Amino acid sequence: MNYPNGQRKPLTIKPKQTSFSRRGMTLEEEINETTDFYRMQGLAVIHKKPTPVQIVNVHYPKRSAAVITEAYFKQASTTDYNGIYKGKYIDFEAKETKNKTSFPLANIHEHQVHHMQQVIEHGGISFIILRFRAYEETYLFDAKDLFVCWQEQFDGGKKSISYDYVKQSGYLIPFHYQKKVDFLSVVDKLYL
């Protein structure tokens, strides 16, 4: 193509790009989109739990714009999500790690494990959704398997859950366009 100044634009050939379509989207955002889809389709009612915060100080630079300058957590939160599916109570935590070989148990808190134990004792379904970002793999890891790993760390065992153990004991969650983290397909197979 000739341009007005007589110069031709050089032709550039771009190398084939790797798809990064999911890069930048966090696991939590994908789960939120998935639970929204489940609700809109009438499949389940699952919500992200709000973190209880006590606001201490607010700055008002303008009448219409308030800025929270100081706040504290009111209490330790339990897990990230809860709701109901096919008449069963579901309660789960969502975690991602950049680590290629394991998931550190330090990312789970004792009060969360205790909460999950109570959910199971009362007939509910509880699990962790774990994403290994290095592999872009997301797993449903049953709370009962978590309890075993949790206790082992206090008995001289590892303070993490190996990637290989998650692959062996967990359940790979399929990725779909509308249901980015389709955990209910795994819940159906595993619990119902």
Side-chain angles (χ1 to χ4, degrees):
M1 170 180 265
N2 290 326
Y3 290 90
N5 62 4
Q7 298 286 327
R8 286 186 168 195
K9 186 176 179 183
L11 181 64
T12 57
I13 299 174
K14 294 181 182 178
K16 187 175 179 182
Q17 298 278 326
T18 305
S19 172
F20 296 113
S21 59
R22 291 168 60 194
R23 178 179 274 182
M25 183 169 262
T26 68
L27 176 60
E28 193 173 284
E29 289 169 334
E30 290 182 9
I31 291 172
N32 292 344
E33 282 188 19
T34 302
T35 58
D36 287 346
F37 176 81
Y38 291 157
R39 270 192 312 280
M40 287 187 291
Q41 296 298 311
L43 299 173
V45 178
I46 298 170
H47 292 281
K48 171 119 176 69
K49 296 180 196 174
T51 304
V53 175
Q54 174 68 47
I55 298 171
V56 178
N57 198 356
V58 179
H59 175 65
Y60 296 95
K62 293 181 185 177
R63 186 176 177 102
S64 63
V67 178
I68 298 170
T69 57
E70 188 176 1
Y72 300 97
F73 295 114
K74 282 185 180 179
Q75 62 192 37
S77 63
T78 53
T79 52
D80 290 332
Y81 294 87
N82 70 343
I84 192 158
Y85 174 60
K86 292 185 177 178
K88 289 293 248 177
Y89 177 74
I90 293 180
D91 196 287
F92 64 94
E93 180 70 12
K95 297 287 186 185
E96 16 184 3
T97 183
K98 292 180 183 178
N99 194 318
K100 293 180 181 181
T101 59
S102 64
F103 171 77
L105 286 168
N107 292 342
I108 303 287
H109 302 286
E110 187 172 356
H111 66 273
Q112 291 175 313
V113 172
H114 180 67
H115 173 76
M116 295 170 101
Q117 288 170 329
Q118 289 178 321
V119 168
I120 290 173
E121 286 170 7
H122 288 277
I125 297 170
S126 191
F127 52 86
I128 296 180
I129 293 180
L130 287 175
R131 171 167 294 160
F132 284 88
R133 290 180 65 194
Y135 307 111
E136 282 299 318
E137 292 175 351
T138 307
Y139 293 88
L140 186 149
F141 193 71
D142 186 63
K144 292 176 185 174
D145 291 323
L146 170 66
F147 303 156
V148 172
C149 297
W150 184 262
Q151 188 56 47
E152 284 177 356
Q153 74 175 328
F154 300 111
D155 298 334
K158 293 181 180 181
K159 297 190 183 313
S160 63
I161 307 169
S162 75
Y163 168 71
D164 291 334
Y165 185 70
V166 172
K167 276 184 75 166
Q168 172 191 337
S169 299
Y171 299 85
L172 187 64
I173 297 174
F175 175 84
H176 298 287
Y177 178 71
Q178 291 181 311
K179 302 176 282 185
K180 292 180 171 45
V181 185
D182 186 18
F183 60 91
L184 288 184
S185 65
V186 178
V187 167
D188 280 334
K189 293 174 189 171
L190 188 59
Y191 302 104
L192 302 175

